[in-house]
């Protein structure tokens, strides 16, 4: 009986040792599974063993060799810690500091689309409509007008969109754009030009001292942005 008991204990000890050995092969454990940052903020994520870090899309957030995450643009991505035993993922949500306005439906630019279809996606109050344009009231006091333009050569194709702000919002608009877009220099006459990472939308900021307003223009390429 004593011999059987000793054998049983030996077997159990072996199983425990084997289980402990398997645990060493588990995926790395992170000190957090999700982080929420503002554009420009940093946070360090740590793992329970040496790992290699990588970011799924460093447009939104980048990560360096020691696990420090830098928030770059508004959106959500992941960073991954990889070891020989497996990998672990942390979700990174990047929030804006600037919510200056609701962007219009610029993804519709270049498409054949009816006035009614624009009305269906645009939540602002419509204030004017012509054959080639639809204008909406700004959702905030400093937003004068949001206007959708059709191509004069093809009146069914949406050509460009403008958002007009009160003068004095230049920096606010630029900060809003820089949190969401990459700057792309085009030529000397363009003051500020941004193109979105994931879409064909082009964004141009124009200062108009004569009209005392800031005009933000969207178009699917520079030639199609109305001047």
């Amino acid at each position: 009986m004593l011999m059987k008991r000793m054998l049983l204990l030996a077997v159990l000890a072996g199983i425990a040792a084997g289980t402990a050995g398997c645990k060493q092969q588990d995926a790395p454990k992170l000190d957090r599974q999700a982080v929420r940052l503002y554009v420009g903020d940093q946070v360090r994520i740590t793992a329970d063993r040496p790992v290699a870090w990588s970011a799924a899309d460093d447009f939104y957030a980048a990560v360096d060799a020691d696990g420090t995450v830098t928030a770059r643009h508004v959106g959500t991505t992941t960073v991954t810690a990889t070891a020989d035993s497996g990998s672990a993922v942390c979700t990174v949500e990047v929030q804006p500091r600037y919510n200056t306005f609701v962007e219009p439906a610029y993804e519709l630019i270049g498409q054949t689309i009816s006035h009614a279809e624009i009305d269906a996606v645009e939540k602002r109050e419509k204030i004017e409509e012509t054959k080639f344009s639809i204008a909406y009231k700004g959702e905030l006091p400093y937003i004068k007008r949001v206007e959708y333009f059709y191509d004069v050569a093809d009146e069914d194709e949406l050509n460009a969109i403008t958002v007009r702000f009160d003068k004095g919002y230049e920096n606010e608009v630029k900060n809003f754009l820089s949190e969401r877009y990459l700057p792309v220099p085009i030529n000397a006459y363009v003051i500020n030009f941004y193109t979105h990472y994931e879409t064909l939308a082009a964004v141009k900021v124009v200062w108009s001292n004569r009209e005392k307003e800031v005009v933000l223009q969207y178009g699917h390429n520079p030639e199609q942005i109305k001047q």
Side-chain angles (χ1 to χ4, degrees):
M1 179 64 97
L2 180 60
M3 182 63 69
K4 286 183 178 180
R5 194 171 292 174
M6 290 176 66
L7 286 171
L8 178 60
L9 290 172
V11 169
L12 292 174
I15 292 172
T19 302
C22 289
K23 285 184 178 177
Q24 293 303 311
Q25 297 304 311
D26 289 346
K29 293 179 174 57
L30 307 182
D31 65 336
R32 59 192 83 201
Q33 284 71 53
V35 293
R36 182 178 293 175
L37 304 171
Y38 287 102
V39 172
D41 284 352
Q42 291 185 321
V43 66
R44 186 182 179 198
I45 305 171
T46 60
D48 63 349
R49 69 198 70 176
V51 295
W53 293 96
S54 61
D57 192 334
D58 61 9
F59 173 80
Y60 299 108
V63 62
D64 66 15
D66 72 353
T68 298
V69 176
T70 302
R72 300 183 65 190
H73 294 93
V74 174
T76 301
T77 187
T78 57
V79 296
T80 301
T82 304
D84 291 341
S85 56
S87 62
V89 173
C90 178
T91 300
V92 181
E93 180 185 348
V94 182
Q95 304 176 97
R97 297 182 187 276
Y98 295 88
N99 290 295
T100 308
F101 68 107
V102 176
E103 289 192 276
Y106 60 77
E107 68 275 7
L108 301 179
I109 293 173
Q111 297 184 31
T112 298
I113 190 165
S114 69
H115 287 211
E117 289 173 304
I118 294 176
D119 283 339
V121 297
E122 180 56 69
K123 305 305 180 185
R124 300 172 179 91
E125 176 188 348
K126 184 158 62 176
I127 56 176
E128 187 179 347
E129 184 171 0
T130 71
K131 185 176 181 179
F132 295 109
S133 68
I134 313 175
Y136 298 88
K137 181 180 179 181
E139 71 274 17
L140 292 166
Y142 56 82
I143 302 172
K144 294 182 173 183
R145 186 181 182 98
V146 178
E147 193 161 11
Y148 291 72
F149 293 95
Y150 283 85
D151 192 327
V152 293
D154 181 358
E155 60 188 61
D156 294 322
E157 180 183 312
L158 187 65
N159 176 266
I161 306 170
T162 64
V163 185
R164 296 177 181 271
F165 301 86
D166 285 344
K167 191 64 180 172
Y169 281 84
E170 294 95 333
N171 289 334
E172 181 90 9
V173 172
K174 286 179 68 176
N175 289 331
F176 177 94
L177 293 173
S178 68
E179 292 189 328
R180 295 161 174 82
Y181 296 81
L182 284 173
V184 178
I186 300 300
N187 54 43
Y189 81 86
V190 176
I191 299 173
N192 288 284
F193 194 100
Y194 297 81
T195 185
H196 193 275
Y197 180 72
E198 291 185 316
T199 75
L200 297 176
V203 182
K204 176 180 168 186
V205 180
V206 180
W207 316 133
S208 175
N209 293 323
R210 180 177 60 83
E211 298 179 22
K212 301 200 181 298
E213 64 183 359
V214 178
V215 181
L216 177 61
Q217 298 179 312
Y218 294 77
H220 57 86
N221 63 47
E223 289 72 27
Q224 291 183 309
I225 296 177
K226 290 183 178 293
Q227 299 300 316

